[in-house]
């Protein structure tokens, strides 16, 4: 039951981000980027399982942690695909295809590097919201969109929508799209943990590690 619950939360997270993607594709510009934030607001408010929201909690984990993160990403992708199938129109497919064309033109390496920026913004937004500060989320989402930083779950919706266009699907197969998508996933993951790489000794979000450090500190004081 716990597995089904977590998968359901991952699926719903993909749907929420897709809703933000639909708004952005329809409106575009700064207004569309700002309204896209609804997707992440819903994810954080409902405590759903989003790859870029949970990646910071898996850094340094064992194989089981990383494997669950990939399962979560699959659930997010499934939610995006389901949403694309439910609401897609030729106009949405065309707008989504334009975004994917931009990613492909940039190449996997550049997509991966740019995705680091998105991951960093996402971790900042999620940790800020967890502490009662929603400003990083409200400003962060438009920021990564305007900067052109790939978000692997949003891109999952754009990929799903664009491939529903027969003309796009004829000239863009999975083998062409997969390298850039894999680079975006890796870049997002590294970006979500960028503060650890840049600031050795930064506070860990793992409650168990925090508790362990407190206990060890107390034992050290006693020994002194």
């Amino acid at each position: 039951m716990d597995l089904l619950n977590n998968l359901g939360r991952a699926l719903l997270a993909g749907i929420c981000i897709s809703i933000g993607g639909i708004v952005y594709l329809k409106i575009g510009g700064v207004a569309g980027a700002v309204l896209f934030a609804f997707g992440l607001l819903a994810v954080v408010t409902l405590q759903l399982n989003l790859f870029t929201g949970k990646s910071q909690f898996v850094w340094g984990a064992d194989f089981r942690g990383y494997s669950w993160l990939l399962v979560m990403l699959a659930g997010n992708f499934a939610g995006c695909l389901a949403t694309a199938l439910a609401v897609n129109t030729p106009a949405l497919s065309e707008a989504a295809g334009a975004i994917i064309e931009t990613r492909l033109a940039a190449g996997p390496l550049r997509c991966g590097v740019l995705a680091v920026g998105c991951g960093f913004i996402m971790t900042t937004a999620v940790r800020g919201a967890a502490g009662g500060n929603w400003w990083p989320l409200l400003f962060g989402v438009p920021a990564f969109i305007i900067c052109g930083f790939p978000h692997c779950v949003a891109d999952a919706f754009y990929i799903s929508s664009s491939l529903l266009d027969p003309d796009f699907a004829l000239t863009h197969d999975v083998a062409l799209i997969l390298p850039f998508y894999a680079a975006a996933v890796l870049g997002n993951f590294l970006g979500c943990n960028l503060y650890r790489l840049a600031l050795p000794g930064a506070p860990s979000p793992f409650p168990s590690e925090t508790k362990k450090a407190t206990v060890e500190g107390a034992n050290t004081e006693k020994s002194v």
Side-chain angles (χ1 to χ4, degrees):
M1 183 62 70
D2 187 55
L3 176 61
L4 291 177
N5 180 275
N6 282 321
L7 283 175
R9 288 177 177 274
L11 184 74
L12 186 55
I15 293 174
C16 289
I17 296 299
S18 296
I19 292 173
I22 293 168
V23 174
Y24 178 66
L25 292 179
K26 284 181 172 291
I27 298 177
V30 175
V34 171
L35 291 174
F36 188 106
F38 168 80
L40 186 56
L41 282 167
V43 167
V44 174
T45 300
L46 299 175
Q47 298 181 344
L48 303 178
N49 292 333
L50 183 68
F51 178 85
T52 49
K54 300 296 186 182
S55 288
Q56 61 173 310
F57 299 103
V58 179
W59 184 265
D62 56 18
F63 174 78
R64 182 179 179 184
Y66 287 106
S67 60
W68 164 236
L69 196 63
L70 291 177
V71 171
M72 184 186 305
L73 179 60
N76 293 160
F77 206 116
C80 293
L81 177 59
T83 305
L85 289 170
V87 306
N88 193 65
T89 64
L92 282 178
S93 285
E94 183 179 353
I99 293 176
I100 299 305
E101 289 286 9
T102 301
R103 303 278 196 258
L104 294 173
L109 179 59
R110 181 163 177 77
C111 275
V113 172
L114 292 176
V116 171
C118 177
F120 177 73
I121 290 173
M122 290 295 290
T123 286
T124 304
V126 170
R127 298 195 74 173
N133 181 7
W134 294 84
W135 291 113
L137 190 160
L138 294 173
F139 284 105
V141 173
F144 83 69
I145 293 175
I146 293 171
C147 289
F149 296 160
H151 183 285
C152 62
V153 180
D155 281 5
F157 172 71
Y158 300 144
I159 291 170
S160 299
S161 183
S162 61
L163 289 177
L164 291 176
D165 178 358
D167 292 334
F168 187 93
L170 284 174
T171 55
H172 301 77
D173 58 21
V174 175
L176 180 65
I177 295 174
L178 187 59
F180 107 79
Y181 188 73
V185 171
L186 179 59
N188 281 170
F189 178 77
L190 293 176
C192 287
N193 295 280
L194 183 61
Y195 72 98
R196 285 199 185 86
L197 299 173
L199 301 172
S204 171
F206 293 97
S208 59
E209 290 186 5
T210 303
K211 181 178 180 181
K212 179 181 178 182
T214 302
V215 172
E216 290 179 349
N219 291 337
T220 301
E221 290 179 1
K222 290 179 180 180
S223 64
V224 174

